[in-house]
Amino acid sequence: LRDLLGNPLVTGWDRLAAESAALTLLVECLQKTPTPAVGAPNALSSEEKRVIAQTRDLLIRDLSCPPDLGTLARATGFTHTRLNRCFRKAYGTTVFAWLRDYRLEQARILLVRDHQSITDIAYFCGFSSSSHFGSCFRARFGQTPQQFRQCPDM
């Protein structure tokens, strides 16, 4: 991210390097996003897949201020119950449990790639406090964000 943001975009090579860095970041983010199982016994209909994708896009548009479940339901035309049921079919979890996991994955990437403070990363990823972020991170990854930053290969 630093290489991308620090690129002056003056020459054609600069623009090419920036495009490459942006695509690399996009691939890494997409690889971390869970995808629905194909051909599973509780497979989703094409409409449900469309709604799940739409919901996912709405959730990650602004990690620090995602819409509530009622707003998501109105935007997609599903009830909040059906929306959660479809998310559970697709990802094995509810809408906001998926969002928490997504936020933690994004934070993990930022801890490795960026030198922002842990508090800034926590807020950027939508956590209300660095202590809440720290406890969620530790529960998910078995170490604090600071420990992970010092030794990300563990």
Side-chain angles (χ1 to χ4, degrees):
L1 186 57
R2 188 172 329 151
D3 293 339
L4 183 61
L5 295 175
N7 189 326
L9 300 175
V10 175
T11 67
W13 292 112
D14 289 343
R15 290 187 292 280
L16 184 61
E19 184 177 343
S20 174
L23 288 172
T24 299
L25 281 173
L26 179 63
V27 166
E28 286 181 13
C29 288
L30 291 174
Q31 286 174 336
K32 301 298 180 195
T33 304
T35 54
V38 177
N42 293 327
L44 298 168
S45 70
S46 59
E47 178 192 16
E48 290 170 330
K49 289 176 186 175
R50 179 192 58 76
V51 166
I52 292 298
Q54 180 185 5
T55 303
R56 193 178 58 232
D57 292 345
L58 290 169
L59 287 169
I60 64 176
R61 182 177 296 156
D62 182 3
L63 289 179
S64 63
C65 190
D68 62 31
L69 195 54
T71 302
L72 289 169
R74 284 188 297 280
T76 60
F78 277 19
T79 65
H80 71 291
T81 305
R82 184 172 181 199
L83 196 55
N84 262 330
R85 189 178 312 122
C86 289
F87 251 76
R88 193 171 297 281
K89 277 186 195 178
Y91 300 116
T93 190
T94 64
V95 171
F96 287 100
W98 178 89
L99 178 60
R100 184 192 60 239
D101 290 345
Y102 181 85
R103 286 172 165 171
L104 288 168
E105 284 297 330
Q106 296 310 302
R108 189 184 62 76
I109 291 167
L110 289 173
L111 285 167
V112 171
R113 296 185 142 231
D114 203 346
H115 288 78
Q116 290 180 322
S117 73
I118 291 172
T119 300
D120 287 346
I121 291 172
Y123 289 134
F124 177 78
C125 291
F127 290 90
S128 58
S129 70
S130 57
S131 62
H132 177 62
F133 167 62
S135 64
C136 289
F137 193 93
R138 185 179 186 117
R140 172 76 189 276
F141 298 111
Q143 55 188 340
T144 67
Q146 183 65 38
Q147 291 167 331
F148 178 80
R149 181 173 258 175
Q150 291 170 349
C151 193
D153 295 331
M154 289 184 69

